[in-house]
Amino acid sequence: MTRALTLPGLVNAHSHAFQRALRGRAAGGDFWAWREGMLAEADAQTPQTVLDLYTDTYREMRAAGFTAVGEFHYLGFETALAAADAGAEAGIGFVCLYVAYARGGLERMQQPTVAAYLEQLETLRDRGIAVGVAPHSVRACPREWLVELGRYAAAEGLPLHVHACEQPREIEECLAEHGVRPVELLADCGCLGESTTVVHATHANGTELDLLRDSGATICACPTTEADLGDGFVPAVRVRHRGIPLCIGSDSNVRIDPFEELRELEGIARRQTGRRGVFSTDELFRFGGDQGARALGVESRPGIEIDLDHRSLRGVAEEHVPAALLAGCGADVVLAS
Ligand SMILES: [Zn+2]
């Protein structure tokens, strides 16, 4: 009989599942060069390709120990329905972080008005799909949109997720347009609160981190993607110092492994401090589990089982298994459910 250890299910708070298709063929250049290839891939998606690819990708997530996913979806309405079907097919908790996109990107990503966006979001809710409000970024949403979306999310008690401070150029453009940095703009527009998750915050400065702390917002770090795209490091130590909640996402899905995301977070903190064990094992599992669930508004989720007879865990005493998972295991230690 297989010996197993049950742990709370892990939560993937930020995913663009279609980007899984880009792995191995999107090297070179910088973030902006990658973005061109990503947009071409996005434009090729149909409800059928989304159903197929997302079902496979969500099955991989489920096998890796992710029991819920926040899909940050900007491919339009019909494909959002297909993504929800894929989530159900794969048996993963699914939250559609339906993206508001006013300008830039592709035409299929955009809505003409906030009202048109909210109508689509309401239709998803009416069909029983769990949703969050997701202004794509301060790049894609002007101030008036942010104000309305922040007000709507607060009034409806919905999570609000937004990319911010991923790349220096985004900050420069925000300063040029608004005279403030992205997180400052989000604060001005009423988009920061306890139900807000800011994705990345890689280049957030001290003032922005203070605003996140004061509002009770969460940061979603996506370390394997941030490394792959050359974004930089989440300011892990400064975030911890302020007590800002963290959660994790597999984002571009170049890797699907919750232990690796958490290991990277701790690794970044070690590189930044020259110390070890900056985050405790319990803290890291909270980032990977409860805090992701809170960020998505997911109330319950199944446990996962770890194969104690797996070769990566041979000779590890049971009380050291959680720490060993973070220190040196891949997601293949998770037993199929
Ligand atoms: Zn993203």
Side-chain angles (χ1 to χ4, degrees):
M1 206 181 100
T2 313
R3 295 180 312 129
L5 173 73
T6 304
L7 293 176
L10 298 162
V11 175
N12 187 355
H14 190 74
S15 162
H16 308 279
F18 78 91
Q19 294 175 13
R20 180 82 174 140
L22 290 167
R23 68 197 187 286
R25 59 172 169 91
D30 59 7
F31 172 88
W32 303 100
W34 170 84
R35 184 169 175 271
E36 291 306 312
M38 180 276 284
L39 289 174
E41 190 65 35
D43 209 19
Q45 299 300 318
T46 66
Q48 189 61 49
T49 63
V50 165
L51 181 63
D52 295 343
L53 174 59
Y54 286 37
T55 301
D56 283 347
T57 304
Y58 294 155
R59 282 192 177 127
E60 277 194 84
M61 288 181 194
R62 192 68 185 81
F66 283 127
T67 54
V69 59
E71 181 65 34
F72 200 95
H73 184 84
Y74 49 63
L75 302 179
F77 179 78
E78 292 300 327
T79 49
L81 298 175
D85 288 344
E89 186 68 33
I92 196 165
F94 177 86
V95 178
C96 186
L97 301 168
Y98 193 65
V99 172
Y101 217 110
R103 59 189 185 184
L106 303 171
E107 204 180 320
R108 65 182 288 168
M109 298 173 171
Q110 298 173 359
Q111 301 88 18
T113 60
V114 177
Y117 164 78
L118 291 176
E119 197 182 312
Q120 293 173 359
L121 186 79
E122 290 285 351
T123 307
L124 295 171
R125 286 178 89 182
D126 290 346
R127 297 200 187 193
I129 298 169
V131 298
V133 178
H136 179 275
S137 56
V138 301
R139 226 173 351 106
C141 289
R143 177 185 279 273
E144 319 78 79
W145 279 51
L146 294 171
V147 169
E148 281 193 58
L149 294 170
R151 196 185 299 135
Y152 176 86
E156 298 293 319
L158 289 172
L160 185 151
H161 286 230
V162 57
H163 293 119
C165 297
E166 180 175 12
Q167 282 282 329
R169 188 172 117 189
E170 166 206 337
I171 297 171
E172 287 156 23
E173 287 173 0
C174 186
L175 280 165
E177 182 178 0
H178 302 285
V180 292
R181 296 170 64 94
V183 175
E184 294 176 299
L185 180 65
L186 292 171
D188 281 355
C189 293
C191 284
L192 290 190
E194 287 182 4
S195 301
T196 301
T197 298
V198 168
V199 182
H200 304 303
T202 315
H203 300 281
N205 70 7
T207 305
E208 291 178 293
L209 293 175
D210 288 348
L211 286 167
L212 293 173
R213 174 199 60 205
D214 295 345
S215 66
T218 296
I219 292 174
C220 182
C222 309
T224 64
T225 293
E226 289 153 6
D228 184 65
L229 297 183
D231 286 342
F233 296 98
V234 67
V237 178
R238 297 158 75 210
V239 167
R240 184 176 197 282
H241 180 68
R242 288 170 174 80
I244 300 167
L246 277 163
C247 61
I248 55 164
S250 66
D251 195 357
S252 70
N253 295 298
V254 66
R255 291 282 290 130
I256 296 179
D257 185 332
F259 306 126
E260 188 168 338
E261 301 298 341
L262 296 170
R263 182 179 311 130
E264 278 295 307
L265 257 186
E266 169 64 14
I268 290 165
R270 290 184 189 194
R271 292 177 187 108
Q272 289 172 334
T273 58
R275 297 193 58 82
R276 306 179 67 248
V278 178
F279 296 109
S280 71
T281 299
D282 285 352
E283 261 179 310
L284 290 166
F285 274 105
R286 241 188 347 268
F287 299 163
D290 288 351
Q291 285 181 186
R294 196 181 136 268
L296 293 178
V298 168
E299 276 163 19
S300 70
R301 59 190 201 276
I304 57 170
E305 294 209 295
I306 304 300
D307 177 4
L308 293 176
D309 293 321
H310 192 281
R311 63 186 177 281
S312 302
L313 289 170
R314 212 157 281 160
V316 176
E318 200 164 324
E319 72 262 31
H320 297 145
V321 167
L325 293 173
L326 298 178
C329 290
D332 57 336
V333 297
V334 178
L335 286 166
S337 54

